[in-house]
Amino acid sequence: MTTNQALFDRACLTIPGGVNSPVRAFKSVGGAPRFIAKAEGPYIWDAEGKRYIDYLGSWGPAIVGHAHPEVVEAVQEAAALGLSYGAPTKAEILLAEKITQLLPSIEKVRLVSSGTEATMSAIRLARGATNRNKIIKFEGCYHGHSDSLLVKAGSGLLTFGNPSSAGVPEEFVQHTLVLEYNNLDSVRAAFEAHPKDIACIIVEPYAGNMNLIKAKSGFLEGLRELCDEYGALLIFDEVMTGFRAGPKGIQGLTGIKPDLTTLGKVIGGGMPVGAFGGRADIMEHIAPLGTVYQAGTLSGNPISVAAGLKTLEIISRDGFYENLSNQLEKMISGIEDEALRAGIDFSADFVGGMFGIYFRDTVPTNFVETSESDIQAFNTFFHSMLDNGVHLAPSAFEAGFISAAHSDEVIEETISAARLSFQKL
Ligand SMILES: *Cc1c(COP(=O)(O)O)cnc(C)c1O
Protein backbone atom coordinates (compact mmCIF):
# COMPACT_ATOMS: atom_id res chain seq x y z
CA MET A 1 0.00 0.00 0.00
CA THR A 2 1.19 3.51 -0.79
CA THR A 3 1.18 5.80 2.23
CA ASN A 4 0.06 9.41 2.29
CA GLN A 5 3.67 10.36 3.05
CA ALA A 6 4.98 8.44 0.03
CA LEU A 7 2.39 10.08 -2.22
CA PHE A 8 3.26 13.49 -0.82
CA ASP A 9 6.99 12.93 -1.39
CA ARG A 10 6.26 11.80 -4.93
CA ALA A 11 3.86 14.71 -5.57
CA CYS A 12 6.53 17.17 -4.47
CA LEU A 13 8.76 16.02 -7.34
CA THR A 14 6.40 17.25 -10.05
CA ILE A 15 3.89 19.59 -8.35
CA PRO A 16 5.13 22.70 -6.49
CA GLY A 17 4.77 21.89 -2.80
CA GLY A 18 3.00 18.68 -3.78
CA VAL A 19 -0.41 20.34 -4.07
CA ASN A 20 -2.53 22.33 -6.49
CA SER A 21 -3.75 24.84 -3.89
CA PRO A 22 -1.47 25.89 -1.03
CA VAL A 23 -3.52 25.23 2.12
CA ARG A 24 -3.86 21.56 1.17
CA ALA A 25 -0.17 21.06 1.91
CA PHE A 26 -0.62 20.97 5.74
CA LYS A 27 2.15 23.56 6.00
CA SER A 28 0.67 25.30 9.02
CA VAL A 29 -0.29 22.11 10.91
CA GLY A 30 2.68 19.98 9.83
CA GLY A 31 2.74 16.40 8.56
CA ALA A 32 1.68 14.89 5.26
CA PRO A 33 -1.69 15.78 3.76
CA ARG A 34 -4.17 12.97 3.36
CA PHE A 35 -4.46 11.94 -0.26
CA ILE A 36 -8.13 11.28 -0.83
CA ALA A 37 -9.18 8.17 -2.71
CA LYS A 38 -12.95 8.49 -2.46
CA ALA A 39 -15.77 10.21 -0.62
CA GLU A 40 -19.36 9.35 0.23
CA GLY A 41 -21.90 11.15 2.38
CA PRO A 42 -20.12 12.63 5.43
CA TYR A 43 -16.94 10.57 4.88
CA ILE A 44 -13.69 10.72 2.96
CA TRP A 45 -11.18 7.87 2.66
CA ASP A 46 -7.48 8.40 2.19
CA ALA A 47 -5.02 6.41 0.10
CA GLU A 48 -4.25 4.22 3.12
CA GLY A 49 -7.90 3.18 3.34
CA LYS A 50 -8.52 5.17 6.53
CA ARG A 51 -11.97 6.72 6.85
CA TYR A 52 -12.52 10.26 8.17
CA ILE A 53 -15.61 12.26 9.03
CA ASP A 54 -15.18 15.23 6.72
CA TYR A 55 -15.58 18.85 7.84
CA LEU A 56 -13.66 20.23 4.88
CA GLY A 57 -16.52 19.53 2.50
CA SER A 58 -14.29 20.50 -0.44
CA TRP A 59 -14.09 23.92 1.29
CA GLY A 60 -17.83 24.32 1.17
CA PRO A 61 -19.41 22.81 -1.95
CA ALA A 62 -20.20 19.36 -0.48
CA ILE A 63 -23.32 20.60 1.34
CA VAL A 64 -25.59 17.70 0.32
CA GLY A 65 -22.91 15.15 1.24
CA HIS A 66 -20.27 13.64 -1.00
CA ALA A 67 -21.26 11.66 -4.09
CA HIS A 68 -24.97 12.31 -3.53
CA PRO A 69 -26.66 9.77 -5.83
CA GLU A 70 -28.90 12.37 -7.48
CA VAL A 71 -25.98 14.69 -8.21
CA VAL A 72 -23.84 11.85 -9.52
CA GLU A 73 -26.67 10.75 -11.80
CA ALA A 74 -27.16 14.30 -13.12
CA VAL A 75 -23.45 14.57 -13.88
CA GLN A 76 -23.35 11.17 -15.60
CA GLU A 77 -26.36 12.04 -17.75
CA ALA A 78 -24.84 15.37 -18.75
CA ALA A 79 -21.43 13.84 -19.45
CA ALA A 80 -22.93 11.35 -21.85
CA LEU A 81 -24.23 14.26 -23.93
CA GLY A 82 -20.81 15.84 -24.37
CA LEU A 83 -18.47 17.65 -22.03
CA SER A 84 -18.45 21.16 -23.43
CA TYR A 85 -19.79 22.95 -26.50
CA GLY A 86 -18.66 26.57 -26.40
CA ALA A 87 -22.22 27.49 -27.33
CA PRO A 88 -25.20 28.26 -25.10
CA THR A 89 -27.40 25.59 -23.50
CA LYS A 90 -30.87 25.53 -21.96
CA ALA A 91 -29.49 24.28 -18.63
CA GLU A 92 -27.58 27.57 -18.22
CA ILE A 93 -30.89 29.43 -18.39
CA LEU A 94 -32.34 27.12 -15.74
CA LEU A 95 -29.40 27.75 -13.42
CA ALA A 96 -29.58 31.52 -13.98
CA GLU A 97 -33.34 31.42 -13.29
CA LYS A 98 -32.82 29.36 -10.15
CA ILE A 99 -30.15 31.74 -8.83
CA THR A 100 -32.21 34.86 -9.54
CA GLN A 101 -35.22 33.23 -7.91
CA LEU A 102 -33.31 32.26 -4.76
CA LEU A 103 -31.39 35.56 -4.43
CA PRO A 104 -33.72 38.42 -5.35
CA SER A 105 -30.88 41.00 -5.39
CA ILE A 106 -29.60 39.21 -8.48
CA GLU A 107 -31.58 40.25 -11.55
CA LYS A 108 -29.03 39.05 -14.06
CA VAL A 109 -26.18 36.64 -13.56
CA ARG A 110 -23.16 35.44 -15.51
CA LEU A 111 -21.49 32.08 -14.94
CA VAL A 112 -17.74 31.67 -14.77
CA SER A 113 -15.54 28.76 -13.67
CA SER A 114 -14.25 29.81 -10.22
CA GLY A 115 -14.82 32.18 -7.35
CA THR A 116 -11.63 34.02 -8.31
CA GLU A 117 -13.02 34.73 -11.76
CA ALA A 118 -16.32 35.86 -10.27
CA THR A 119 -14.76 38.44 -7.93
CA MET A 120 -12.22 39.61 -10.48
CA SER A 121 -14.99 40.18 -13.02
CA ALA A 122 -17.31 41.84 -10.49
CA ILE A 123 -14.56 44.32 -9.58
CA ARG A 124 -13.90 45.12 -13.23
CA LEU A 125 -17.63 45.58 -13.76
CA ALA A 126 -17.94 47.88 -10.73
CA ARG A 127 -15.07 49.99 -12.01
CA GLY A 128 -16.46 50.05 -15.52
CA ALA A 129 -19.99 50.90 -14.42
CA THR A 130 -18.96 53.72 -12.05
CA ASN A 131 -15.99 55.04 -14.02
CA ARG A 132 -13.97 54.99 -10.80
CA ASN A 133 -10.78 53.13 -9.92
CA LYS A 134 -10.47 52.68 -6.18
CA ILE A 135 -11.92 49.74 -4.27
CA ILE A 136 -12.26 48.90 -0.59
CA LYS A 137 -11.62 45.45 0.83
CA PHE A 138 -11.20 44.24 4.42
CA GLU A 139 -8.20 42.66 6.07
CA GLY A 140 -8.66 38.90 6.42
CA CYS A 141 -11.37 38.64 3.76
CA TYR A 142 -10.33 36.48 0.83
CA HIS A 143 -11.70 37.15 -2.61
CA GLY A 144 -9.66 34.77 -4.73
CA HIS A 145 -6.20 35.37 -6.12
CA SER A 146 -6.52 38.06 -8.77
CA ASP A 147 -3.87 40.78 -8.62
CA SER A 148 -5.81 43.75 -7.26
CA LEU A 149 -7.29 41.63 -4.45
CA LEU A 150 -4.05 40.07 -3.20
CA VAL A 151 -3.44 42.90 -0.81
CA LYS A 152 -2.65 43.20 2.86
CA ALA A 153 -3.15 46.20 5.08
CA GLY A 154 -0.54 48.94 4.94
CA SER A 155 0.95 50.41 8.09
CA GLY A 156 -1.38 53.36 8.59
CA LEU A 157 -5.14 53.05 8.81
CA LEU A 158 -5.85 54.88 5.57
CA THR A 159 -2.86 53.95 3.47
CA PHE A 160 -3.30 51.77 0.47
CA GLY A 161 -2.48 48.13 0.80
CA ASN A 162 0.70 46.30 -0.05
CA PRO A 163 0.75 43.28 -2.32
CA SER A 164 0.37 40.10 -0.25
CA SER A 165 2.08 38.05 -2.95
CA ALA A 166 5.31 38.35 -4.85
CA GLY A 167 4.61 39.02 -8.49
CA VAL A 168 1.95 41.64 -7.84
CA PRO A 169 3.37 45.07 -8.71
CA GLU A 170 2.63 47.81 -6.19
CA GLU A 171 1.07 49.78 -9.04
CA PHE A 172 -1.54 47.03 -9.42
CA VAL A 173 -2.80 47.45 -5.85
CA GLN A 174 -2.43 51.20 -5.54
CA HIS A 175 -6.19 51.51 -5.97
CA THR A 176 -7.07 48.97 -3.28
CA LEU A 177 -7.79 50.31 0.21
CA VAL A 178 -7.55 47.65 2.93
CA LEU A 179 -9.62 48.37 6.03
CA GLU A 180 -10.45 46.59 9.27
CA TYR A 181 -13.46 44.26 9.16
CA ASN A 182 -16.34 45.35 11.39
CA ASN A 183 -14.91 48.87 11.66
CA LEU A 184 -17.38 51.23 10.04
CA ASP A 185 -15.49 54.37 11.09
CA SER A 186 -12.56 53.38 8.89
CA VAL A 187 -14.91 53.00 5.92
CA ARG A 188 -16.47 56.39 6.55
CA ALA A 189 -13.02 57.96 6.75
CA ALA A 190 -12.01 56.32 3.47
CA PHE A 191 -15.04 57.75 1.69
CA GLU A 192 -14.37 61.18 3.19
CA ALA A 193 -10.80 61.02 1.91
CA HIS A 194 -11.82 59.79 -1.57
CA PRO A 195 -15.46 60.86 -2.03
CA LYS A 196 -15.60 60.52 -5.82
CA ASP A 197 -13.02 57.82 -6.46
CA ILE A 198 -14.31 54.65 -4.80
CA ALA A 199 -15.98 52.28 -7.26
CA CYS A 200 -17.02 49.62 -4.79
CA ILE A 201 -16.68 47.87 -1.49
CA ILE A 202 -16.13 44.13 -1.74
CA VAL A 203 -16.82 42.24 1.47
CA GLU A 204 -17.49 38.74 2.71
CA PRO A 205 -20.73 39.66 4.49
CA TYR A 206 -19.81 37.02 7.06
CA ALA A 207 -16.13 36.23 6.68
CA GLY A 208 -15.16 32.60 6.23
CA ASN A 209 -11.52 32.97 5.29
CA MET A 210 -10.09 34.17 8.60
CA ASN A 211 -12.00 31.40 10.34
CA LEU A 212 -15.70 32.28 10.64
CA ILE A 213 -16.23 35.92 11.65
CA LYS A 214 -19.68 37.40 11.57
CA ALA A 215 -20.45 41.00 10.74
CA LYS A 216 -21.43 42.96 13.84
CA SER A 217 -24.93 44.33 13.86
CA GLY A 218 -24.93 47.62 11.94
CA PHE A 219 -21.75 46.93 9.94
CA LEU A 220 -23.39 45.76 6.71
CA GLU A 221 -26.18 48.33 7.06
CA GLY A 222 -23.50 51.00 7.41
CA LEU A 223 -21.67 49.80 4.30
CA ARG A 224 -24.93 49.95 2.37
CA GLU A 225 -25.61 53.51 3.54
CA LEU A 226 -22.11 54.75 2.80
CA CYS A 227 -22.15 53.21 -0.68
CA ASP A 228 -25.47 54.92 -1.40
CA GLU A 229 -24.24 58.23 -0.04
CA TYR A 230 -21.07 58.23 -2.14
CA GLY A 231 -22.35 56.51 -5.28
CA ALA A 232 -20.23 53.37 -4.84
CA LEU A 233 -21.39 49.80 -5.42
CA LEU A 234 -21.66 47.22 -2.66
CA ILE A 235 -20.40 43.76 -3.63
CA PHE A 236 -21.18 40.85 -1.34
CA ASP A 237 -18.68 38.08 -1.95
CA GLU A 238 -20.89 35.12 -1.09
CA VAL A 239 -18.70 32.56 -2.85
CA MET A 240 -18.51 30.76 0.48
CA THR A 241 -21.66 31.87 2.30
CA GLY A 242 -24.07 31.69 -0.66
CA PHE A 243 -26.37 28.68 -0.08
CA ARG A 244 -23.99 27.62 2.72
CA ALA A 245 -24.95 30.02 5.50
CA GLY A 246 -28.62 29.73 4.62
CA PRO A 247 -30.99 29.43 1.65
CA LYS A 248 -30.53 33.09 0.72
CA GLY A 249 -26.99 33.65 1.87
CA ILE A 250 -26.08 36.40 4.30
CA GLN A 251 -28.11 38.87 2.26
CA GLY A 252 -31.19 36.84 3.11
CA LEU A 253 -30.25 36.57 6.79
CA THR A 254 -29.54 40.26 7.25
CA GLY A 255 -31.91 41.78 4.72
CA ILE A 256 -29.11 43.92 3.28
CA LYS A 257 -29.27 44.10 -0.49
CA PRO A 258 -25.95 44.32 -2.32
CA ASP A 259 -25.65 45.75 -5.84
CA LEU A 260 -23.58 42.77 -6.98
CA THR A 261 -23.05 39.31 -5.53
CA THR A 262 -20.37 36.77 -6.29
CA LEU A 263 -21.02 33.05 -5.93
CA GLY A 264 -19.10 29.81 -6.31
CA LYS A 265 -18.53 26.67 -4.23
CA VAL A 266 -22.08 25.34 -3.49
CA ILE A 267 -23.55 26.46 -6.83
CA GLY A 268 -21.21 24.04 -8.59
CA GLY A 269 -22.02 21.13 -6.29
CA GLY A 270 -18.34 20.11 -6.41
CA MET A 271 -17.67 21.00 -10.03
CA PRO A 272 -15.77 24.17 -11.02
CA VAL A 273 -18.27 27.06 -11.14
CA GLY A 274 -18.51 30.67 -10.14
CA ALA A 275 -21.05 33.37 -10.85
CA PHE A 276 -21.49 37.08 -10.48
CA GLY A 277 -24.75 38.91 -10.73
CA GLY A 278 -26.87 41.74 -9.44
CA ARG A 279 -28.78 44.78 -10.62
CA ALA A 280 -29.70 44.47 -14.29
CA ASP A 281 -28.62 48.03 -15.10
CA ILE A 282 -25.13 47.24 -13.81
CA MET A 283 -24.89 43.78 -15.37
CA GLU A 284 -25.77 45.27 -18.75
CA HIS A 285 -22.37 46.96 -18.83
CA ILE A 286 -20.84 43.55 -19.62
CA ALA A 287 -19.96 42.44 -23.14
CA PRO A 288 -21.69 41.74 -25.48
CA LEU A 289 -24.17 44.40 -24.26
CA GLY A 290 -21.68 46.83 -22.78
CA THR A 291 -18.08 47.87 -22.74
CA VAL A 292 -16.78 45.79 -19.81
CA TYR A 293 -15.09 42.74 -21.29
CA GLN A 294 -15.50 39.33 -19.69
CA ALA A 295 -15.45 35.85 -21.23
CA GLY A 296 -14.67 32.16 -20.66
CA THR A 297 -14.17 29.11 -22.88
CA LEU A 298 -15.68 26.78 -20.28
CA SER A 299 -18.11 29.25 -18.66
CA GLY A 300 -21.48 27.59 -18.11
CA ASN A 301 -19.92 24.17 -18.64
CA PRO A 302 -22.75 21.65 -19.01
CA ILE A 303 -21.40 19.17 -16.43
CA SER A 304 -20.85 21.89 -13.84
CA VAL A 305 -24.27 23.35 -14.51
CA ALA A 306 -25.90 19.93 -14.13
CA ALA A 307 -24.18 19.37 -10.77
CA GLY A 308 -25.08 22.88 -9.62
CA LEU A 309 -28.72 22.67 -10.68
CA LYS A 310 -29.24 19.36 -8.92
CA THR A 311 -27.49 20.62 -5.78
CA LEU A 312 -29.66 23.77 -5.69
CA GLU A 313 -32.73 21.60 -6.18
CA ILE A 314 -31.80 19.43 -3.19
CA ILE A 315 -31.05 22.34 -0.87
CA SER A 316 -34.36 23.97 -1.81
CA ARG A 317 -36.32 21.04 -0.38
CA ASP A 318 -38.32 21.59 2.80
CA GLY A 319 -36.37 21.49 6.01
CA PHE A 320 -32.94 21.23 4.40
CA TYR A 321 -31.33 24.13 6.27
CA GLU A 322 -33.21 23.47 9.51
CA ASN A 323 -31.76 19.98 9.57
CA LEU A 324 -28.30 21.20 8.60
CA SER A 325 -28.05 23.84 11.30
CA ASN A 326 -29.71 21.62 13.92
CA GLN A 327 -27.02 19.02 13.37
CA LEU A 328 -24.33 21.66 13.46
CA GLU A 329 -25.68 23.19 16.64
CA LYS A 330 -25.59 19.77 18.32
CA MET A 331 -22.02 19.27 17.24
CA ILE A 332 -20.80 22.72 18.23
CA SER A 333 -22.45 22.67 21.64
CA GLY A 334 -21.06 19.16 22.24
CA ILE A 335 -17.55 20.31 21.40
CA GLU A 336 -17.92 23.43 23.53
CA ASP A 337 -18.98 21.27 26.49
CA GLU A 338 -15.93 19.05 26.06
CA ALA A 339 -13.61 22.08 25.89
CA LEU A 340 -15.17 23.50 29.04
CA ARG A 341 -14.81 20.18 30.81
CA ALA A 342 -11.14 20.00 29.79
CA GLY A 343 -10.56 23.61 30.88
CA ILE A 344 -9.38 24.80 27.44
CA ASP A 345 -9.62 28.45 26.29
CA PHE A 346 -12.07 27.86 23.51
CA SER A 347 -15.01 29.42 21.73
CA ALA A 348 -17.10 28.54 18.70
CA ASP A 349 -19.68 30.00 16.38
CA PHE A 350 -21.73 28.83 13.43
CA VAL A 351 -24.27 29.91 10.83
CA GLY A 352 -26.31 27.57 8.63
CA GLY A 353 -23.85 24.86 7.61
CA MET A 354 -20.54 26.58 8.39
CA PHE A 355 -18.69 26.96 11.67
CA GLY A 356 -15.65 28.38 13.39
CA ILE A 357 -13.76 26.92 16.33
CA TYR A 358 -11.31 29.26 18.03
CA PHE A 359 -8.64 28.50 20.58
CA ARG A 360 -9.30 31.73 22.46
CA ASP A 361 -11.95 32.50 25.04
CA THR A 362 -14.14 34.80 22.93
CA VAL A 363 -15.34 34.66 19.35
CA PRO A 364 -13.12 36.99 17.26
CA THR A 365 -14.56 39.99 15.37
CA ASN A 366 -11.67 40.86 13.06
CA PHE A 367 -8.38 39.66 11.64
CA VAL A 368 -6.20 40.85 14.52
CA GLU A 369 -8.37 39.04 17.04
CA THR A 370 -8.49 35.81 15.04
CA SER A 371 -4.68 35.98 14.78
CA GLU A 372 -4.52 35.97 18.58
CA SER A 373 -5.80 32.38 18.77
CA ASP A 374 -3.55 29.67 20.24
CA ILE A 375 -2.25 28.18 16.99
CA GLN A 376 -0.19 25.50 18.72
CA ALA A 377 -3.27 24.28 20.57
CA PHE A 378 -5.21 24.15 17.31
CA ASN A 379 -2.45 22.20 15.59
CA THR A 380 -2.31 19.61 18.36
CA PHE A 381 -6.10 19.37 18.35
CA PHE A 382 -6.16 19.06 14.56
CA HIS A 383 -3.73 16.13 14.50
CA SER A 384 -5.46 14.34 17.33
CA MET A 385 -8.80 14.72 15.56
CA LEU A 386 -7.22 13.34 12.41
CA ASP A 387 -5.83 10.35 14.34
CA ASN A 388 -9.33 9.83 15.71
CA GLY A 389 -10.89 9.87 12.25
CA VAL A 390 -12.09 13.46 11.90
CA HIS A 391 -10.75 15.65 9.09
CA LEU A 392 -10.90 19.39 9.87
CA ALA A 393 -9.53 22.16 7.66
CA PRO A 394 -5.74 22.10 8.12
CA SER A 395 -5.39 25.65 9.48
CA ALA A 396 -6.57 27.59 12.51
CA PHE A 397 -7.76 30.33 10.15
CA GLU A 398 -10.24 28.35 8.11
CA ALA A 399 -13.94 27.77 8.70
CA GLY A 400 -15.45 24.29 8.82
CA PHE A 401 -18.33 22.82 6.84
CA ILE A 402 -20.98 20.25 7.65
CA SER A 403 -23.22 18.42 5.21
CA ALA A 404 -26.78 17.14 5.27
CA ALA A 405 -25.29 13.64 5.52
CA HIS A 406 -23.79 14.28 8.98
CA SER A 407 -26.15 12.10 11.05
CA ASP A 408 -26.50 11.99 14.84
CA GLU A 409 -24.13 9.06 14.95
CA VAL A 410 -21.51 10.99 12.97
CA ILE A 411 -21.92 14.01 15.26
CA GLU A 412 -21.51 11.84 18.36
CA GLU A 413 -18.37 10.27 16.94
CA THR A 414 -17.02 13.77 16.27
CA ILE A 415 -17.72 14.92 19.83
CA SER A 416 -16.01 11.79 21.23
CA ALA A 417 -12.96 12.52 19.09
CA ALA A 418 -12.99 16.10 20.40
CA ARG A 419 -13.12 14.82 23.99
CA LEU A 420 -9.99 12.72 23.42
CA SER A 421 -8.28 15.56 21.56
CA PHE A 422 -8.94 18.21 24.22
CA GLN A 423 -7.42 15.82 26.76
CA LYS A 424 -4.19 15.94 24.73
CA LEU A 425 -3.92 19.66 25.43
C1 LIG B 1 -13.19 30.35 -2.07
C2 LIG B 1 -13.45 31.80 -2.16
C3 LIG B 1 -13.11 32.56 -3.27
C4 LIG B 1 -12.30 32.00 -4.41
O1 LIG B 1 -12.96 30.97 -5.07
P1 LIG B 1 -12.11 29.95 -5.97
O2 LIG B 1 -13.16 29.09 -6.60
O3 LIG B 1 -11.22 29.23 -5.02
O4 LIG B 1 -11.36 30.75 -6.95
C5 LIG B 1 -13.48 33.88 -3.33
N1 LIG B 1 -14.16 34.45 -2.32
C6 LIG B 1 -14.51 33.75 -1.22
C7 LIG B 1 -15.29 34.43 -0.14
C8 LIG B 1 -14.16 32.42 -1.09
O5 LIG B 1 -14.46 31.75 0.02
Side-chain angles (χ1 to χ4, degrees), residues 41 61-66 68 71 244 310-311 314-315 320 403-405:
I63 196 166
V64 299
H66 290 289
H68 190 291
V71 178
R244 168 51 75 178
K310 185 53 78 176
T311 300
I314 295 169
I315 66 176
F320 183 88
S403 83

Side-chain angles (χ1 to χ4, degrees), residues 21 59 113-119 141-145 202-209 237-241 262-265 272-274 398 401:
S21 193
W59 300 95
S113 299
S114 70
T116 294
E117 263 187 90
T119 54
C141 286
Y142 177 68
H143 305 293
H145 63 93
I202 184 163
V203 62
E204 287 184 72
Y206 280 15
N209 285 286
D237 182 357
E238 298 224 49
V239 169
M240 184 180 282
T241 53
T262 53
L263 298 168
K265 298 193 169 107
V273 180
E398 302 290 351
F401 306 96

Side-chain angles (χ1 to χ4, degrees), residues 363-378:
V363 171
T365 66
N366 59 38
F367 183 71
V368 170
E369 287 178 17
T370 199
S371 307
E372 288 162 0
S373 304
D374 185 344
I375 309 300
Q376 197 45 56
F378 172 81

